[in-house]
Amino acid sequence: MTQGPLTTEAGAPVADNQNSETAGVGGPVLVQDQLLIEKLAHFNRERIPERVVHARGAGAYGTFTVTADVTRYTRAAFLSEVGKETETFLRFSTVAGNLGAADAVRDPRGFALKFYTEEGNYDLVGNNTPVFFIRDAIKFPDFIHTQKRDPYTGSTEADNVFDFWGLSPESTHQVTWLFGDRGIPASYRHMDGFGSHTYQWNNEAGEVFWVKYHFKTDQGIKNLTAEEAEILAGKDPDSHQRDLREAIERGEFPSWTVYVQVMPAAEAATYRFNPFDLTKVWPHADYPLIEFGKLELNRNPRNIFAEVEQSVFSPAHFVPGIGPSPDKMLQGRLFAYGDAHRYRVGINADHLPVNRPHATEARTNSRDGYLYDGRHDGAKNYEPNSFGGPAQTGRPLWQPISVTGVTGETVTPVHAEDNDFVQAGNLYRLMTEEEKERLVNNLANAISGVTRDEIADRAINNFRQADEDFGKRLEAAVQALRG
């Protein structure tokens, strides 16, 4: 079916798209060939800065459906009744690689989910792991620098990676997870997702609960060994993106069963470890999983750049009934994510179709700037005003929490059983003998690339403190590889 003639960006029909205009046959090209100049100028600007982290990604639209009543915990409208459906957009990603990196690599996976709710967009920006390497956002730039290319060598360096991890013992739990069997998912469809951070839910009565989100894949967990991943990354760098797109095209819509752990706010202060520490999980024996939803992905984006690359997510995008916690990593991300997108895409990134609310309308007093679309017409750009402009509600999205003490650079509060190694050791001891062997081999292969003995020894010692057998086996494996 014809779509009409090819046009310039201004809508004028194009007479010749095969030959540029010249001064005579074989002569130099003329500046007046505005189609040529328009095409070249646009081509030069077709890329925006890639994300510093999570640059490599894929996405799809879907539906979230409430399957159980959670109104006793939260007043969020999109969770208000069983059977209620909300449109979503989910972006998967790897963390460390650049935009052209391979999918099948050992790396955490981003699990960034946008709910287009009637009270505004709610962004849940998580990973496929329930924990993270650090617990304070002030260390995040340093951590990422160790995962990226060294400024001198231009390559990723094992020295940098394990020097930082060895000097940051709180990373031991996440590193144990990353180098275990789930460190390389077989596809985006065959992995779980987690909100990872602790968040606040609050109900109509103003009661506060701390929560953690879990998305359990209905496709089953499937992972790649290091050897399988090395082959796949070379044969098909786009393996995960291709798998997701083709599954949806076939009508095999991937889905996740959604759970929440709920802690009454009063229990946080005396819990056996700090419940806002991102390097730790809440044991299910203490706070069992409560099923409350189903997430299904059922529609592919039509344009990867417009809908995946330019999609923006921020954990600061809350809705009434949901809010932040004192998690220091989360607190840093509340600023950093929005700021990154204002730099990458522009101050009006939220005006783009993939980012703007779908079930309601954004009404702000922000005007102008790059990509501003004039949506406000002649409306006043201040509040309060007497011209019928939008006004404040007087009801915060989340409940306030009590704070005491003096200001200063403080360490994370210590609870009775806070320890950087206990949960890493517990994870190791849950593994089968075969899983332990693969974990040790994966770590040993990575640590063997370290050039300084003290860095390798310090890294190994963290795992020894998690479990004596873990450290002993890892030390022997590294020594064997290093000769």
Side-chain angles (χ1 to χ4, degrees):
M1 182 177 66
T2 180
Q3 296 180 338
L6 179 68
T7 73
T8 67
E9 292 182 13
V14 172
D16 189 343
N17 193 45
Q18 315 304 317
N19 304 287
S20 54
E21 190 175 349
T22 61
V25 178
V29 172
L30 299 177
V31 173
Q32 72 180 37
D33 188 345
Q34 288 302 294
L35 176 64
L36 170 67
I37 291 175
E38 179 182 274
K39 289 178 67 176
L40 293 180
H42 190 285
F43 181 77
N44 288 342
R45 294 162 174 81
E46 282 185 357
R47 296 294 176 267
I48 59 177
E50 68 175 42
R51 292 167 169 86
V52 177
V53 289
H54 297 276
R56 174 68 176 169
Y61 294 92
T63 303
F64 172 80
T65 305
V66 179
T67 59
D69 183 7
V70 289
T71 55
R72 79 191 92 169
Y73 304 122
T74 178
R75 59 187 172 95
F78 79 101
L79 300 177
S80 62
E81 58 182 291
V82 174
K84 188 163 187 174
E85 295 184 353
T86 300
E87 184 187 4
T88 63
F89 181 77
L90 176 57
R91 184 180 186 270
F92 301 101
S93 56
T94 51
V95 175
N98 62 4
L99 191 58
D103 290 337
V105 295
R106 187 173 302 281
D107 200 12
R109 301 301 194 272
F111 196 96
L113 181 60
K114 187 182 298 292
F115 297 84
Y116 299 102
T117 90
E118 65 267 47
E119 296 179 301
N121 290 350
Y122 172 44
D123 290 353
L124 183 59
V125 187
N127 283 330
N128 73 322
T129 62
V131 293
F132 197 60
F133 300 92
I134 52 178
R135 62 171 66 96
D136 194 317
I138 202 167
K139 298 182 71 168
F140 187 75
D142 300 288
F143 163 61
I144 293 300
H145 287 166
T146 71
Q147 307 297 301
K148 292 288 191 174
R149 300 180 187 276
D150 182 90
Y152 171 67
T153 67
S155 303
T156 54
E157 299 293 340
D159 281 7
N160 301 354
V161 171
F162 285 98
D163 189 35
F164 181 87
W165 284 345
L167 293 168
S168 304
E170 70 269 27
S171 68
T172 307
H173 190 191
Q174 171 72 312
V175 176
T176 301
W177 181 286
L178 178 62
F179 282 84
D181 281 356
R182 296 196 182 190
I184 315 178
S187 79
Y188 291 133
R189 297 182 296 127
H190 293 95
M191 68 181 195
D192 291 341
F194 300 88
S196 301
H197 295 288
T198 300
Y199 293 94
Q200 182 195 112
W201 274 8
N202 60 90
N203 63 20
E204 286 290 352
E207 296 174 302
V208 171
F209 304 88
W210 302 119
V211 301
K212 284 183 177 288
Y213 297 102
H214 300 251
F215 295 75
K216 298 293 186 181
T217 176
D218 295 326
Q219 290 68 240
I221 295 289
K222 290 184 181 180
N223 303 298
L224 300 172
T225 65
E227 295 75 19
E228 290 170 337
E230 185 175 4
I231 294 171
L232 180 58
K235 291 176 61 177
D236 184 7
D238 303 326
S239 58
H240 286 32
Q241 179 172 314
R242 187 188 316 280
D243 173 86
L244 178 65
R245 185 190 71 248
E246 291 181 350
I248 294 174
E249 288 175 346
R250 292 192 304 268
E252 297 176 12
F253 301 144
S255 65
W256 288 258
T257 303
V258 189
Y259 302 83
V260 66
Q261 289 178 285
V262 179
M263 174 189 293
E267 298 180 11
T270 56
Y271 189 50
R272 52 200 175 98
F273 58 82
N274 180 8
F276 309 116
D277 183 346
L278 185 56
T279 69
K280 294 181 174 65
V281 298
W282 298 355
H284 295 177
D286 294 347
Y287 298 100
L289 296 181
I290 301 170
E291 180 183 338
F292 74 101
K294 179 74 73 174
L295 173 68
E296 179 186 85
L297 300 182
N298 47 38
R299 179 165 64 92
N300 283 318
R302 304 301 299 172
N303 184 280
I304 296 299
F305 178 80
E307 298 167 87
V308 178
E309 184 64 11
Q310 290 195 130
S311 63
V312 301
F313 301 83
S314 171
H317 290 170
F318 293 111
V319 293
I322 305 177
S325 78
D327 179 337
K328 294 179 79 172
M329 269 298 294
L330 174 60
Q331 292 285 319
R333 295 175 80 202
L334 296 179
F335 161 75
Y337 273 60
D339 189 59
H341 300 316
R342 284 187 284 270
Y343 162 69
R344 288 184 58 249
V345 186
I347 193 65
N348 291 305
D350 287 321
H351 290 199
L352 297 171
V354 69
N355 299 321
R356 66 186 179 219
H358 289 190
T360 187
E361 177 187 358
R363 294 178 291 275
T364 76
N365 291 317
S366 298
R367 298 290 191 275
D368 307 339
Y370 186 60
L371 293 181
Y372 179 61
D373 60 8
R375 64 179 56 192
H376 298 89
D377 296 324
K380 303 300 183 183
N381 62 344
Y382 59 91
E383 193 275 337
N385 71 57
S386 60
F387 292 85
Q392 65 189 33
T393 67
R395 188 179 188 188
L397 306 185
W398 58 84
Q399 292 296 103
I401 60 174
S402 176
V403 295
T404 60
V406 298
T407 62
E409 291 78 19
T410 59
V411 298
T412 301
V414 176
H415 291 228
E417 296 183 23
D418 273 332
N419 182 290
D420 287 329
F421 306 108
V422 167
Q423 291 200 355
N426 291 342
L427 178 59
Y428 176 78
R429 289 184 287 274
L430 283 174
M431 296 180 182
T432 66
E433 184 60 32
E434 292 76 16
E435 289 171 335
K436 290 177 180 178
E437 183 176 352
R438 288 191 292 270
L439 167 64
V440 168
N441 287 341
N442 291 335
L443 272 169
N445 285 329
I447 295 175
S448 66
V450 170
T451 63
R452 291 169 50 188
D453 289 342
E454 68 270 23
I455 293 177
D457 293 342
R458 188 165 53 236
I460 293 169
N461 187 56
N462 282 347
F463 300 104
R464 181 180 293 110
Q465 292 189 67
D467 184 276
E468 184 65 32
D469 177 69
F470 190 1
K472 181 179 179 180
R473 292 169 64 167
L474 181 58
E475 181 179 29
V478 171
Q479 288 178 347
L481 288 170
R482 289 166 67 91

